[in-house]
Amino acid sequence: MLLTRCALLSAAFSTAVVGAPFTFPTPDGFPNPSPAQLAVIQQGAGGTLASSFLPTSLKSAAITILELLTNNEIFEVAFFTQLLTNITTNVPGYDAAATAPLDRDYLIKAISTIVNVSLPILLQLSYSLSHQQEELHALGAQGILRGAGQPPIAPCQYEFPVSSFKEAILLAQTFTDIALGTVPQVQLLFATDGGDEVRNVPLLGSILGQEGQQDGFFRFVQRKTPSAAPYLTGGSASFAFTALQAYIVPDSCPKPLSSIDLPTFQPLRVLNRPEARNMTLVYSVDGPVSCQDQTVVYLSGQNRPLRVPISCPVHTRRGASKFKAEFPFQAGFANGLTIAAVVNGTGPLLTPNDVAAATVYGPGLIEVN
């Protein structure tokens, strides 16, 4: 089943799945490679695990954030492993016709420098840089947790609601945009919570830059400008955590996701195609909505959250609600990712974390260029 662009950008809350769930370990031993396997991963990734300071203790909020980041990086390893396998084995929707007019050798090489992927070619395994960079990100986060006496995060099983190269690259851009908005919040937390993790702020900055390089490639492949906007959309750990769970097979995680001290919101679906203009968007949720007591809030660029009313009436049927709200793009929205949420109340919201604290449904993920 081919997903529409809007369904895909609503954090893939659709139930459509192509193929069996992805499971670990990978052939290079990830997530628990031997020293010899780690050496191969590092060589393919173009660099080694960071040898900078590792904290011996962590504040509770920092533990929560590192558990989120580790789960997210493991998901990315799974996603990009499957993507490159689909391309190199000519799965329908990922073959030469689907990736044209891109030079196929360049495409494989480029993705191989972003993700860590095993390539099953002539019964031999050849590891690529792209997946291996994501592996090192995940191993690095695990290392910080271990150094502080925290148990490592074991992989879950994953499902990817895409069935073509085009859909996969758009999804990769979207979840990378979410990461680019979340990591600065992590840096702020590490810098201000009074813990040893403050010394890892530069490490997070280097990861942020590397993820930005990846995102530029995903945009280039879609014939978009490599950089979306002068200031990228900020996010919240709670929004990232909720979006991540759209790709995890329920109850497949050795450590239940409920043990991570972050809220999970009910999904907010964007039903029509957002465009770079003022327009009305149609949303749906699995629950009640009040056009008097709730509003839609948008996060775009580094602007303050923008609240708009929910249009009355709200149409409710069998417990699900469908409603409309304005999308005032020309009020100063940035190209690239915009995050929408249905929130309680009508008071001021100054930061993404303020928005998350008031959220009932979200995040609705909107990509506009």
Side-chain angles (χ1 to χ4, degrees), residues 289-295 309-314 323:
V289 170
S290 170
C291 56
Q292 286 85 27
D293 301 321
Q294 295 174 324
T295 56
I310 293 172
S311 299
C312 294
V314 174
F323 59 94

Side-chain angles (χ1 to χ4, degrees), residues 3 5 9 36 100 109 135 150 169 261 267 302 329 342 357 359 363:
L3 298 181
R5 184 173 187 270
L9 293 181
K109 181 179 179 181
E135 283 185 335
Q150 299 298 316
I169 291 297
D261 189 21
Q302 287 296 309
F329 181 83
V342 173
T359 291

Side-chain angles (χ1 to χ4, degrees), residues 65-311:
I65 290 298
L66 284 168
E67 289 175 335
L68 166 63
L69 293 181
T70 302
N71 273 291
N72 190 71
E73 292 295 344
I74 294 173
F75 152 70
E76 291 189 14
V77 171
F79 176 85
F80 288 121
T81 299
Q82 189 64 62
L83 172 59
L84 196 54
T85 298
N86 288 348
I87 294 172
T88 56
T89 57
N90 292 302
V91 170
Y94 299 85
D95 54 16
T99 59
L102 294 168
D103 179 84
R104 197 161 176 80
D105 290 338
Y106 165 76
L107 176 63
I108 292 173
K109 181 179 179 181
I111 293 180
S112 297
T113 62
I114 300 171
V115 296
N116 177 12
V117 177
S118 58
L119 305 178
I121 300 176
L122 301 175
L123 302 181
Q124 295 181 352
L125 294 174
S126 171
Y127 284 91
S128 66
L129 175 62
S130 81
H131 183 96
Q132 286 161 340
Q133 288 178 341
E134 294 300 343
E135 283 185 335
L136 290 188
H137 286 177
L139 292 172
Q142 295 275 41
I144 295 174
L145 286 170
R146 284 194 181 100
Q150 299 298 316
I153 301 298
C156 309
Q157 295 181 19
Y158 305 91
E159 295 174 327
F160 312 121
V162 294
S163 58
S164 70
F165 173 73
K166 182 179 179 179
E167 291 176 352
I169 291 297
L170 178 57
L171 179 56
Q173 177 198 327
T174 303
F175 66 66
T176 303
D177 283 342
I178 296 171
L180 290 170
T182 305
V183 173
Q185 297 293 330
V186 181
Q187 290 178 298
L188 178 62
L189 172 68
F190 280 16
T192 58
D193 69 355
D196 287 345
E197 52 268 20
V198 64
R199 295 171 65 179
N200 289 124
V201 171
L203 175 66
L204 291 172
S206 69
I207 293 174
L208 189 64
Q210 194 272 345
E211 294 281 347
Q213 290 177 331
Q214 291 186 23
D215 208 32
F217 171 72
F218 301 144
R219 292 179 56 83
F220 167 77
V221 167
Q222 300 171 83
R223 296 191 173 186
K224 301 174 182 177
T225 57
S227 55
Y231 301 102
L232 301 184
T233 296
S236 164
S238 300
F239 288 148
F241 185 55
T242 298
L244 172 63
Q245 292 177 66
Y247 317 114
I248 295 177
V249 177
D251 301 319
S252 70
C253 301
K255 181 179 181 180
L257 293 174
S258 59
S259 67
I260 297 178
D261 189 21
L262 289 169
T264 299
F265 306 117
Q266 292 297 310
L268 174 63
R269 303 180 187 89
V270 186
L271 300 185
N272 56 332
R273 182 187 180 112
E275 299 176 3
R277 61 181 178 86
N278 293 344
M279 61 181 295
T280 301
L281 292 183
V282 182
Y283 296 96
S284 71
V285 298
D286 295 327
V289 170
S290 170
C291 56
Q292 286 85 27
D293 301 321
Q294 295 174 324
T295 56
V296 170
V297 173
Y298 295 107
L299 298 173
S300 188
Q302 287 296 309
N303 301 311
R304 289 188 177 185
L306 179 63
R307 187 193 295 268
V308 300
I310 293 172
S311 299

